[in-house]
Amino acid sequence: MDAEQISLTFIALMAIIGNIASLYCLAKRRVNNYIILCINLSVSAEVQSIFGYLPTLFLDKSSIKPTLLCRLAAFFTTFPSFTSITILTAVAISRMFLLEKPFLSNYGCYRPLFYKIGMVSWIYSLVWAALPLLGFSSYTLEATGSRCSINWTPKRVSDKIFLILLVILMFFLPLIIILVSCFYTARVIHLKLTYFSCTYGKDNIETKRFEKKEKKAVLSFLIMILSFLLCWTPYATIGLLSAFTSLTTPSLLLKIAALLAKLSAAINPLIYCTKDNLFYNLTIAFKLRNVSLIIRSRNRENVNNTFTLKPTPAVSCKSKLTE
């Protein structure tokens, strides 16, 4: 295995294990609107890493034409990637919506809406991923010859239109929505913190709670924005340059951009971790469970020792007669 395959194997294993842990943590939480979208996000990353990344390790690099396995691996990489981007955008929009109407955020009537958002995200992404299979662009070998992806060297006008719409709707528009949502959410939390500081003082319990919430929100926003930019900007930039210019991209840059895009499936659990401390809460829950089991076992031993009757020594008849 070369360095690229080793890196891809590491990313795939990290994504599979991380998203399984995320799904387990999310299953332990009370179902709300945010958890519904996060479950969809984790499932899409899991499908992407299992059915998209792992088959790539078994491709024949000496092949000149894209094989069926290569095209299927490209489809199962593209489809969940589009789903993750769409659901991240839906998370950003829903966050602004719930901050605008906070008294409706926990009402059960909004759960069907978020279920529909998840379902529409999958269908919307499936349509975009299936278009190359139907003749609108295609899945073909990359310049490195190690994997298949969307054809970034179009010759037909329809292929160029497809790429332009794809970059706009799957990169620039989600990026703008995520940026606006993050800045809006940070502004709302900062205004609440200022209000509590002026009204109750900096040492008030509510003020400290909102200050802690602001720090956590800023950290999760930074991770969301930076991870999106880090994973998708190099790939989208190289794709646009390859499609609409005559520049020749070095093979090493193509490999790095593709690996960064695949890294998005492994970064999603970090977003959950910083947003709701899921992994930390799960660790604390396991520790408390182990402590409670130890206490119960000790209590049972004490009870058994208390109620166990000790056998009395037998007294012979001769000893009684002598007495």
Side-chain angles (χ1 to χ4, degrees), residues 283-293:
T283 305
I284 296 298
F286 272 121
K287 290 182 179 179
L288 293 176
R289 183 181 179 184
N290 293 333
V291 171
S292 64
L293 289 176

Side-chain angles (χ1 to χ4, degrees), residues 43-232:
V43 169
S44 65
E46 193 69 22
V47 172
Q48 179 182 354
S49 55
I50 294 175
F51 298 101
Y53 297 171
L54 295 183
T56 308
L57 300 174
F58 303 97
L59 296 178
D60 184 11
K61 292 187 177 182
S62 62
S63 178
I64 301 176
K65 295 182 179 179
T67 60
L68 179 61
L69 180 62
C70 185
R71 296 175 64 189
L72 288 176
F75 171 78
F76 280 107
T77 300
T78 304
F79 170 39
S81 298
F82 290 169
T83 305
S84 299
I85 294 173
T86 307
I87 292 176
L88 278 174
T89 309
V91 169
I93 295 175
S94 64
R95 182 178 293 165
M96 287 192 297
F97 176 77
L98 295 180
L99 282 175
E100 186 69 24
K101 301 181 181 297
F103 57 90
L104 297 176
S105 60
N106 294 321
Y107 276 37
C109 61
Y110 279 90
R111 287 187 186 178
L113 174 62
F114 281 84
Y115 282 119
K116 292 177 181 178
I117 290 174
M119 183 176 62
V120 170
S121 299
W122 284 92
I123 296 173
Y124 177 76
S125 304
L126 178 61
V127 171
W128 277 104
L131 286 177
L133 297 176
L134 300 176
F136 299 92
S137 186
S138 61
Y139 291 115
T140 185
L141 284 172
E142 292 183 350
T144 58
S146 58
R147 70 183 63 84
C148 286
S149 65
I150 294 175
N151 185 10
W152 290 103
T153 56
K155 297 179 180 179
R156 299 181 302 176
V157 177
S158 59
D159 295 344
K160 293 183 179 181
I161 294 174
F162 173 81
L163 288 179
I164 293 173
L165 293 177
L166 184 66
V167 171
I168 292 174
L169 297 178
M170 285 296 176
F171 179 73
F172 287 110
L173 184 60
L175 179 61
I176 292 172
I177 292 175
I178 291 173
L179 286 173
V180 171
S181 169
C182 289
F183 284 118
Y184 178 79
T185 306
R187 179 176 176 274
V188 170
I189 295 176
H190 180 70
L191 289 176
K192 287 184 179 181
L193 177 62
T194 305
Y195 170 77
F196 279 102
S197 298
C198 296
T199 306
Y200 304 106
K202 294 182 178 180
D203 297 329
N204 185 265
I205 297 176
E206 290 296 326
T207 304
K208 292 182 178 179
R209 184 173 69 87
F210 272 101
E211 185 177 3
K212 184 178 179 181
K213 188 175 181 181
E214 183 183 25
K215 292 180 180 179
K216 187 190 297 185
V218 170
L219 180 60
S220 65
F221 298 158
L222 288 176
I223 290 179
M224 182 180 291
I225 295 172
L226 293 177
S227 63
F228 191 91
L229 291 174
L230 175 67
C231 294
W232 296 109

